[in-house]
Amino acid sequence: MSPSSRKFGFVVVSNRLPVDRIEPENGEGSWQRSPGGLVTAVEPVMQANDGAWVGWPGIADREYDAFESDGVHLVPVALSEAEVADYYEGFSNDTLWPLYHDVIMPPTYHREWWESYVRVNQRFADAAAAVAKKNAIVWVHDYQLQLVPAMLRTKRPDLTIGFFNHIPFPAYGIYSQLPWRKQILNGLLGADLIGFQRGADAGNFARAVRRSLGYSAKGTVVEVPEKGPDGAPAIRSVIARHFPISIDVAGYEELAEREDVKARAAEIRHELGDPDVVMLGVDRLDYTKGIGHRMKAFGELLEEGRLDVRNATLVQVASPSRERVETYKTLRDEIELTVGRVNGDFGAIGHQAISYFHHSYPREEMVALFLASDIMLVTALRDGMNLVAKEYVASRIDDDGVLVLSEFAGAADELKSALLINPHDIDGLKDAIMAAVEMPQRERQTRMRALRKRVREHDVERWSASFLDVLSGVNPDRAPDLETGDDDSDHPAGEK
C-alpha cells in the first residue's frame, strides 16, 4: 500500500507539521522534530494509535510526499508564497491575532486575505478527509484553521471532530468587528467538541454564537440546527468548554536535575556579574507579551533607587517572530531602543541593567536560565495560556524562585500562588517586583511548592487525555477507542 493511500483512525490537523526541514549546503535534506507542547502532548497518542498529522511543512512553493517520522505518518499540505503572505501572515496574524488579543494592535481587514484563508482551510480539510478512516477522530488545532471543522463535516459526516483554540477568544464587542464573524462561528461549530484555554473564552464564544447566529447556548452546550438524514429539522449538540493546556513537566524536571544544566545555571549568574537578584523574561517578540511594560517598570525602579544595577539585573530573551510583518519590525525597534536607553542611563562597568537576546535557545539552556533566575516576569497583556510560566515552575526543583504573573494570561487561572499583577498598572507591577525581591525564603518556597503541585498534577499528558476522553464520548457508537497513554490521570507526572 502506498503512503498516500493509507487511512488512519486518529488524525491531527494543525498549521505546521511537527518537524522542520533541514537542508545542508552539501548533502541530502532531512526532517527534525520541532520543539513545542503540542508535539509532546499528541505524539504518544498518535504512536499508540497509528495516527496521521496533516500540516504545512514550513517551506513555501514546495511539495512533499507523505512520510513517516518517529512512528507518526506526516501529510504535508503545500502553500505558495502568496498564500503564506495572505492566509498566514495576513489573515491569521494581522487580522485574527490582534482581534483575538483584545485589539492591543488594530486588526487589518482585507477581502483578498479572507479569500485565501477560505481556500487554504479547504485544502487542509480535503487532506484530512483523504487520510481519515471511516468514523475516525480528527483533532483540528488553532485559529489558522477555524473553517476546517465545518468543511470536514460537509465532506465526511461520519467523522468525530474536535477543535482546540490555543489563543484567547475575545468578548463579543470586539469579535463583532470581524466582517466574517458568522462564517468563522459556523466553521467552528462543525466540530463536536470545541476546547478553549479559559472558561471565560468558552463563555465569550457562547455569547458570540447567541448574538450572531441566534442559536441556543446553555452552559457548555451549543444547539446547532440542521437537517437530519431524512431532511427534517434536527438539532446537533456541540460542546464548548475549557481545557487548559500544560507542558511536559517530567521532561523539564529531568533536565533541571542534570549536573551539566545546574553547572550552566551557576555559570550564567557568574557571567551576569553574580548579582543578588536575577530577573528573567522569556517571550516570543510579540506586542501581546508586555515586554515594554516590564522594562519600563524595571527602569523606573532603578531610577528611583529601589533597585541598584550592581545587585539586580534583568535578562530578556525575545525569540524572533513574524519578522516580515511590519508591526513586528516596529516592535523590535521599540524594544531594542528601550534596552539601549535603560542600559545607557543606569548601566555600570561590569554591571549591565538589561541583558537582551533576540534569538531562541535550546531547552537545556532555557532550563539553566530558569534555575539561574530568582524572579520570572510574565507580564502578558493578553495570553491564551503562557506555557513559559509553567516551564519556570516545573524547572524549579529546588522549590525556590518567584513567579510574577499577569492576570491576563490563562495560566493565572491555575497558578494562584504566583504574584498576580495587572501589567498596565506600572506602579503595581513595580511593587510586585519589589515584593518578589524582598520575599522571605520560607514564603518563596511555600508558594513555589503550591505552584509545582498544580503543574505536576495537570501536565500536558493529562490535558490531551482529558480532551480526547470527552471527544471520544461524543459519538461512542462511532468513534474508535484511543490509547491516550494516561491510564492513571489521578497521579502527577513522575509518580505513576
Side-chain angles (χ1 to χ4, degrees):
M1 181 181 290
S2 65
S4 59
S5 63
R6 290 180 60 189
K7 304 290 184 181
F8 301 85
F10 179 55
V11 179
V12 168
V13 189
S14 69
N15 176 64
R16 281 294 305 272
L17 287 174
V19 291
D20 297 315
R21 184 70 176 173
I22 307 299
E23 295 190 339
E25 292 184 10
N26 298 315
E28 191 173 333
S30 62
W31 297 97
Q32 177 178 296
R33 173 174 162 163
S34 307
L38 182 59
V39 181
T40 303
V42 174
E43 190 175 61
V45 185
M46 304 193 75
Q47 291 170 339
N49 295 277
D50 189 29
W53 191 311
V54 175
W56 177 49
I59 302 174
D61 293 318
R62 293 279 293 273
E63 294 194 13
Y64 297 97
D65 293 332
F67 61 98
E68 302 286 326
S69 176
D70 292 330
V72 177
H73 187 78
L74 302 181
V75 182
V77 175
L79 296 180
S80 68
E81 189 67 43
E83 287 168 338
V84 172
D86 292 347
Y87 144 79
Y88 181 69
E89 294 174 347
F91 194 79
S92 294
N93 291 319
D94 209 11
T95 300
L96 293 177
W97 180 268
L99 182 78
Y100 280 36
H101 287 85
D102 290 352
V103 196
I104 294 170
M105 296 294 289
T108 305
Y109 303 113
H110 288 307
R111 285 169 289 182
E112 296 83 359
W113 290 359
W114 165 251
E115 290 162 2
S116 179
Y117 186 82
V118 174
R119 287 194 303 272
V120 171
N121 271 243
Q122 187 65 63
R123 193 175 307 153
F124 275 84
D126 291 345
V131 298
K133 287 181 180 177
K134 184 175 177 59
N135 298 333
I137 286 179
V138 180
W139 192 2
V140 185
H141 287 269
D142 226 359
Y143 63 105
Q144 302 97 341
L145 302 175
Q146 293 176 104
L147 303 179
V148 168
M151 292 171 169
L152 268 177
R153 184 163 296 282
T154 298
K155 198 174 185 75
R156 292 284 306 274
D158 60 296
L159 299 175
T160 298
I161 304 167
F163 181 92
F164 188 80
N165 195 52
H166 291 258
I167 67 173
F169 195 91
Y172 183 72
I174 293 174
Y175 181 76
S176 63
Q177 299 175 29
L178 183 64
W180 307 278
R181 62 193 184 196
K182 292 185 178 179
Q183 292 96 314
I184 293 288
L185 292 175
N186 281 316
L188 291 169
L189 289 171
D192 296 288
L193 173 63
I194 307 171
F196 298 92
Q197 299 280 26
R198 312 180 79 167
D201 297 324
N204 287 341
F205 173 76
R207 280 185 286 275
V209 167
R210 286 194 297 266
R211 297 188 65 175
S212 284
L213 303 179
Y215 297 167
S216 172
K218 298 177 181 178
T220 62
V221 178
V222 178
E223 295 183 348
V224 180
E226 56 185 26
K227 290 184 178 180
D230 57 357
I235 294 292
R236 182 172 58 86
S237 294
V238 176
I239 300 172
R241 49 167 286 197
H242 70 295
F243 298 84
I245 197 170
S246 194
I247 62 168
D248 174 21
V249 176
Y252 279 90
E253 291 180 332
E254 183 178 331
L255 283 173
E257 293 279 8
R258 277 174 34 183
E259 292 304 320
D260 61 322
V261 174
K262 292 178 183 178
R264 176 58 186 149
E267 186 180 23
I268 288 171
R269 288 192 76 101
H270 182 66
E271 290 172 354
L272 292 170
D274 290 317
D276 295 334
V277 179
V278 176
M279 303 178 199
L280 175 65
V282 176
D283 311 88
R284 207 165 38 78
L285 188 59
D286 193 286
Y287 49 78
T288 64
K289 302 300 184 181
I291 299 172
H293 293 64
R294 82 182 59 135
M295 288 184 175
K296 180 176 178 61
F298 181 67
E300 288 189 8
L301 288 171
L302 293 173
E303 183 178 13
E304 295 165 4
R306 297 171 72 183
L307 289 177
D308 189 321
V309 74
R310 289 168 297 184
N311 53 39
T313 190
L314 170 62
V315 178
Q316 177 62 57
V317 177
S319 58
S321 173
R322 301 166 189 162
E323 298 202 294
R324 300 200 305 181
V325 179
E326 194 61 38
T327 306
Y328 290 80
K329 295 179 185 177
T330 303
L331 175 66
R332 179 179 179 181
D333 290 342
E334 291 173 353
I335 294 299
E336 293 180 355
L337 184 64
T338 300
V339 171
R341 185 170 60 248
V342 173
N343 283 338
D345 288 345
F346 305 109
I349 295 175
H351 298 282
Q352 189 164 254
I354 301 176
S355 296
Y356 172 78
F357 305 98
H358 181 59
H359 50 81
S360 301
Y361 286 101
R363 183 178 288 191
E364 290 85 352
E365 183 76 358
M366 289 312 308
V367 172
L369 271 169
F370 293 147
L371 290 173
S373 302
D374 305 287
I375 300 168
M376 183 80 206
L377 299 177
V378 177
T379 56
L381 308 180
R382 190 77 165 95
D383 216 336
M385 176 52 61
N386 195 285
L387 295 179
V388 169
K390 295 186 175 184
E391 291 168 2
Y392 178 73
V393 170
S395 300
R396 295 310 304 233
I397 56 174
D398 57 355
D399 288 335
D400 207 345
V402 182
L403 174 63
V404 177
L405 177 62
S406 169
E407 62 192 43
F408 303 121
D413 286 358
E414 299 179 85
L415 305 183
K416 301 291 189 182
S417 294
L419 293 181
L420 299 180
I421 53 97
N422 174 359
H424 299 283
D425 176 9
I426 300 299
D427 286 335
L429 174 54
K430 286 156 57 179
D431 289 342
I433 291 173
M434 292 309 302
V437 169
E438 297 166 356
M439 187 178 293
Q441 182 180 25
R442 177 174 292 184
E443 182 180 350
R444 294 198 308 266
Q445 292 181 330
T446 298
R447 287 176 177 270
M448 186 55 70
R449 278 194 290 267
L451 293 172
R452 286 180 49 73
K453 182 175 187 294
R454 173 69 191 191
V455 170
R456 296 182 80 220
E457 290 177 351
H458 296 81
D459 67 350
V460 71
E461 186 178 285
R462 180 165 176 168
W463 167 75
S464 61
S466 63
F467 185 95
L468 292 172
D469 284 348
V470 175
L471 183 59
S472 299
V474 170
N475 296 311
D477 297 333
R478 296 189 323 194
D481 291 329
L482 293 181
E483 291 290 334
T484 63
D486 190 18
D487 298 325
D488 191 3
S489 59
D490 289 333
H491 290 79
E495 293 183 357
K496 293 183 180 177

